[in-house]
Amino acid sequence: MRKTLAKFLGVAAFAAVLTVSLPADAKEKSLYQRLGGKKSITAVVDEFVGRVAGDKRINSYFAKTAADPARLASFKMKLVNQICQASGGPCKYTGKDMKSAHMGMGITGADFNALVEDLVGALDKFNVGAKEKNDLLGALGPMKSDIVEK
């Protein structure tokens, strides 16, 4: 039946019919939705920040922020909004661009990799699927060139 319909309509038209006739649930959800929305992203960020604070390889970069509760809350909210926006959610990141925010910090590739390991650990704790994890890392990965200086 599909072959006959495809032959009759032409491949492009057949593909359009299939796409239009798919139920809403069958269409792929945004990464934001697949991550579980803002509440889930907030939980991951809280875990991630805790891991970074305990990571002796990189926690010195965050010492001032971690010591000030108001500054820490603002930092976490910016991270939530950044991940929310990067994953296709409704949030708007309003912090500095990554190059300005990290300028002069001397962050190395190894430091960046440690940060990514901490993020992956937080995602793993909440059993985030491999596809979602890879999609998120893919969305955030391009920031590396603006963060790493050495």
Side-chain angles (χ1 to χ4, degrees), residues 4 33 38 48 63 114 138 148:
T4 307
Q33 292 168 317
K38 193 168 184 176
F48 169 62
V148 173

Side-chain angles (χ1 to χ4, degrees), residues 19-132:
T19 302
V20 171
S21 65
L22 286 175
D25 292 353
K27 294 179 184 173
E28 188 170 340
K29 295 179 180 179
S30 72
L31 176 56
Y32 173 78
Q33 292 168 317
R34 291 183 286 130
L35 288 171
K38 193 168 184 176
K39 185 176 179 180
S40 295
I41 291 170
T42 301
V44 168
V45 166
D46 284 341
E47 175 67 21
F48 169 62
V49 170
R51 286 173 181 262
V52 169
D55 189 337
K56 293 178 181 174
R57 298 173 295 175
I58 57 174
N59 62 6
S60 62
Y61 291 112
F62 302 92
K64 285 183 183 177
T65 299
D68 179 348
R71 192 171 177 175
L72 182 59
S74 174
F75 175 71
K76 284 181 177 182
M77 186 50 60
K78 287 176 186 171
L79 280 176
V80 167
N81 286 334
Q82 187 176 42
I83 292 171
C84 174
Q85 180 178 324
S87 65
C91 309
K92 179 76 175 147
Y93 172 71
T94 58
K96 294 179 181 178
D97 65 90
M98 293 299 97
K99 192 167 207 73
S100 299
H102 298 91
M103 189 176 293
M105 293 177 72
I107 297 172
T108 67
D111 296 330
F112 185 85
N113 292 341
L115 189 80
V116 171
E117 287 175 25
D118 291 338
L119 177 57
V120 168
L123 294 166
D124 287 345
K125 178 179 179 181
F126 290 100
N127 300 312
V128 173
K131 179 173 177 22
E132 288 71 26

